[in-house]
mmCIF file of all heavy atoms in Angstrom:
data_model
loop_
_atom_site.group_PDB
_atom_site.id
_atom_site.type_symbol
_atom_site.label_atom_id
_atom_site.label_comp_id
_atom_site.label_asym_id
_atom_site.label_seq_id
_atom_site.Cartn_x
_atom_site.Cartn_y
_atom_site.Cartn_z
ATOM 1 N N LEU A 121 12.265 -13.621 14.721
ATOM 2 C CA LEU A 121 11.887 -14.029 16.083
ATOM 3 C C LEU A 121 13.083 -14.726 16.728
ATOM 4 O O LEU A 121 13.636 -15.644 16.142
ATOM 5 C CB LEU A 121 10.712 -14.986 15.949
ATOM 6 C CG LEU A 121 9.886 -15.135 17.182
ATOM 7 C CD1 LEU A 121 8.990 -13.937 17.364
ATOM 8 C CD2 LEU A 121 8.985 -16.361 17.070
ATOM 9 N N GLN A 125 12.425 -16.450 22.264
ATOM 10 C CA GLN A 125 11.076 -15.776 22.419
ATOM 11 C C GLN A 125 10.018 -16.857 22.247
ATOM 12 O O GLN A 125 10.066 -17.693 21.369
ATOM 13 C CB GLN A 125 10.948 -14.721 21.311
ATOM 14 C CG GLN A 125 9.811 -13.764 21.575
ATOM 15 C CD GLN A 125 9.771 -12.668 20.523
ATOM 16 O OE1 GLN A 125 10.826 -12.298 19.995
ATOM 17 N NE2 GLN A 125 8.580 -12.239 20.162
ATOM 18 N N ALA A 126 8.961 -16.791 23.143
ATOM 19 C CA ALA A 126 7.951 -17.795 23.080
ATOM 20 C C ALA A 126 7.072 -17.540 21.852
ATOM 21 O O ALA A 126 6.898 -16.404 21.382
ATOM 22 C CB ALA A 126 7.106 -17.707 24.336
ATOM 23 N N PRO A 127 6.476 -18.614 21.256
ATOM 24 C CA PRO A 127 5.553 -18.442 20.129
ATOM 25 C C PRO A 127 4.394 -17.586 20.504
ATOM 26 O O PRO A 127 3.996 -17.555 21.667
ATOM 27 C CB PRO A 127 5.146 -19.831 19.745
ATOM 28 C CG PRO A 127 6.051 -20.779 20.483
ATOM 29 C CD PRO A 127 6.655 -20.039 21.641
ATOM 30 N N CYS A 128 3.857 -16.938 19.500
ATOM 31 C CA CYS A 128 2.638 -16.115 19.725
ATOM 32 C C CYS A 128 1.471 -17.029 20.012
ATOM 33 O O CYS A 128 1.124 -17.927 19.267
ATOM 34 C CB CYS A 128 2.392 -15.349 18.413
ATOM 35 S SG CYS A 128 0.935 -14.280 18.458
ATOM 36 N N ARG A 129 0.750 -16.784 21.132
ATOM 37 C CA ARG A 129 -0.341 -17.634 21.598
ATOM 38 C C ARG A 129 -1.578 -17.209 20.864
ATOM 39 O O ARG A 129 -1.993 -16.053 20.955
ATOM 40 C CB ARG A 129 -0.493 -17.544 23.095
ATOM 41 C CG ARG A 129 0.714 -17.956 23.901
ATOM 42 C CD ARG A 129 0.493 -17.622 25.356
ATOM 43 N NE ARG A 129 -0.590 -18.363 26.008
ATOM 44 C CZ ARG A 129 -0.463 -19.615 26.490
ATOM 45 N NH1 ARG A 129 0.698 -20.217 26.462
ATOM 46 N NH2 ARG A 129 -1.485 -20.186 27.012
ATOM 47 N N ILE A 130 -2.219 -18.138 20.180
ATOM 48 C CA ILE A 130 -3.381 -17.828 19.358
ATOM 49 C C ILE A 130 -4.612 -18.663 19.748
ATOM 50 O O ILE A 130 -4.482 -19.832 19.956
ATOM 51 C CB ILE A 130 -3.079 -18.044 17.860
ATOM 52 C CG1 ILE A 130 -1.956 -17.054 17.403
ATOM 53 C CG2 ILE A 130 -4.253 -17.885 16.987
ATOM 54 C CD1 ILE A 130 -1.460 -17.290 16.069
ATOM 55 N N LEU A 153 8.269 -22.220 15.857
ATOM 56 C CA LEU A 153 8.641 -21.219 16.924
ATOM 57 C C LEU A 153 7.821 -19.962 16.852
ATOM 58 O O LEU A 153 7.893 -19.146 17.720
ATOM 59 C CB LEU A 153 10.147 -20.853 16.715
ATOM 60 C CG LEU A 153 11.118 -21.930 17.016
ATOM 61 C CD1 LEU A 153 12.490 -21.518 16.578
ATOM 62 C CD2 LEU A 153 11.073 -22.273 18.501
ATOM 63 N N LEU A 154 7.059 -19.791 15.801
ATOM 64 C CA LEU A 154 6.416 -18.540 15.583
ATOM 65 C C LEU A 154 5.040 -18.438 16.198
ATOM 66 O O LEU A 154 4.741 -17.403 16.845
ATOM 67 C CB LEU A 154 6.264 -18.291 14.044
ATOM 68 C CG LEU A 154 5.840 -16.892 13.634
ATOM 69 C CD1 LEU A 154 6.842 -15.914 14.034
ATOM 70 C CD2 LEU A 154 5.572 -16.927 12.163
ATOM 71 N N ILE A 155 4.200 -19.426 15.921
ATOM 72 C CA ILE A 155 2.822 -19.323 16.554
ATOM 73 C C ILE A 155 2.457 -20.686 17.204
ATOM 74 O O ILE A 155 3.038 -21.760 16.870
ATOM 75 C CB ILE A 155 1.757 -19.023 15.453
ATOM 76 C CG1 ILE A 155 1.751 -20.118 14.371
ATOM 77 C CG2 ILE A 155 1.998 -17.662 14.835
ATOM 78 C CD1 ILE A 155 0.531 -19.954 13.423
ATOM 79 N N ASN A 156 1.567 -20.535 18.174
ATOM 80 C CA ASN A 156 1.021 -21.742 18.725
ATOM 81 C C ASN A 156 -0.493 -21.621 18.932
ATOM 82 O O ASN A 156 -0.937 -20.680 19.618
ATOM 83 C CB ASN A 156 1.669 -22.078 20.067
ATOM 84 C CG ASN A 156 1.368 -23.500 20.474
ATOM 85 O OD1 ASN A 156 1.685 -24.419 19.733
ATOM 86 N ND2 ASN A 156 0.696 -23.696 21.600
ATOM 87 N N ILE A 157 -1.227 -22.504 18.300
ATOM 88 C CA ILE A 157 -2.738 -22.414 18.392
ATOM 89 C C ILE A 157 -3.046 -23.092 19.718
ATOM 90 O O ILE A 157 -2.918 -24.321 19.855
ATOM 91 C CB ILE A 157 -3.397 -23.013 17.205
ATOM 92 C CG1 ILE A 157 -2.944 -22.298 15.904
ATOM 93 C CG2 ILE A 157 -4.926 -22.940 17.347
ATOM 94 C CD1 ILE A 157 -3.425 -22.983 14.611
ATOM 95 N N GLU A 158 -3.453 -22.280 20.684
ATOM 96 C CA GLU A 158 -3.665 -22.771 22.033
ATOM 97 C C GLU A 158 -5.036 -23.456 22.118
ATOM 98 O O GLU A 158 -5.203 -24.439 22.920
ATOM 99 C CB GLU A 158 -3.651 -21.646 23.031
ATOM 100 C CG GLU A 158 -2.410 -20.824 23.049
ATOM 101 C CD GLU A 158 -1.197 -21.591 23.602
ATOM 102 O OE1 GLU A 158 -1.404 -22.432 24.440
ATOM 103 O OE2 GLU A 158 -0.076 -21.317 23.118
ATOM 104 N N THR A 208 -2.253 -13.973 22.772
ATOM 105 C CA THR A 208 -1.776 -12.696 22.327
ATOM 106 C C THR A 208 -2.604 -12.199 21.153
ATOM 107 O O THR A 208 -2.757 -11.030 20.922
ATOM 108 C CB THR A 208 -0.261 -12.818 21.769
ATOM 109 O OG1 THR A 208 0.418 -13.570 22.717
ATOM 110 C CG2 THR A 208 0.378 -11.454 21.579
ATOM 111 N N LEU A 209 -3.225 -13.188 20.408
ATOM 112 C CA LEU A 209 -3.982 -12.841 19.276
ATOM 113 C C LEU A 209 -5.212 -13.759 19.154
ATOM 114 O O LEU A 209 -5.100 -14.978 19.423
ATOM 115 C CB LEU A 209 -3.143 -13.113 17.972
ATOM 116 C CG LEU A 209 -3.823 -12.851 16.645
ATOM 117 C CD1 LEU A 209 -4.152 -11.391 16.460
ATOM 118 C CD2 LEU A 209 -2.849 -13.308 15.490
ATOM 119 N N VAL A 308 -1.112 -13.292 10.039
ATOM 120 C CA VAL A 308 -0.827 -13.808 11.385
ATOM 121 C C VAL A 308 0.666 -13.874 11.652
ATOM 122 O O VAL A 308 1.165 -13.454 12.751
ATOM 123 C CB VAL A 308 -1.485 -15.176 11.562
ATOM 124 C CG1 VAL A 308 -1.026 -15.897 12.837
ATOM 125 C CG2 VAL A 308 -3.041 -15.036 11.663
ATOM 126 N N PHE A 311 1.846 -10.429 12.424
ATOM 127 C CA PHE A 311 1.491 -10.051 13.809
ATOM 128 C C PHE A 311 2.414 -10.741 14.794
ATOM 129 O O PHE A 311 2.918 -10.089 15.767
ATOM 130 C CB PHE A 311 0.012 -10.464 14.075
ATOM 131 C CG PHE A 311 -0.489 -9.955 15.420
ATOM 132 C CD1 PHE A 311 -1.201 -8.781 15.560
ATOM 133 C CD2 PHE A 311 -0.210 -10.721 16.583
ATOM 134 C CE1 PHE A 311 -1.637 -8.386 16.763
ATOM 135 C CE2 PHE A 311 -0.632 -10.285 17.828
ATOM 136 C CZ PHE A 311 -1.375 -9.073 17.893
ATOM 137 N N ALA A 312 2.633 -12.028 14.533
ATOM 138 C CA ALA A 312 3.523 -12.812 15.523
ATOM 139 C C ALA A 312 4.920 -12.269 15.586
ATOM 140 O O ALA A 312 5.591 -12.306 16.646
ATOM 141 C CB ALA A 312 3.474 -14.271 15.095
ATOM 142 N N ARG A 313 5.348 -11.773 14.489
ATOM 143 C CA ARG A 313 6.759 -11.196 14.420
ATOM 144 C C ARG A 313 6.754 -9.739 14.893
ATOM 145 O O ARG A 313 7.783 -9.048 14.673
ATOM 146 C CB ARG A 313 7.309 -11.291 12.993
ATOM 147 C CG ARG A 313 7.625 -12.685 12.558
ATOM 148 C CD ARG A 313 8.267 -12.678 11.162
ATOM 149 N NE ARG A 313 8.328 -14.087 10.605
ATOM 150 C CZ ARG A 313 9.293 -14.924 10.863
ATOM 151 N NH1 ARG A 313 10.319 -14.581 11.618
ATOM 152 N NH2 ARG A 313 9.233 -16.132 10.320
#
Side-chain angles (χ1 to χ4, degrees):
L121 202 75
Q125 196 175 327
C128 178
R129 299 172 65 86
I130 294 176
L153 291 171
L154 190 65
I155 61 172
N156 194 59
I157 303 171
E158 303 291 330
T208 314
L209 178 66
V308 167
F311 186 95
R313 291 183 191 274

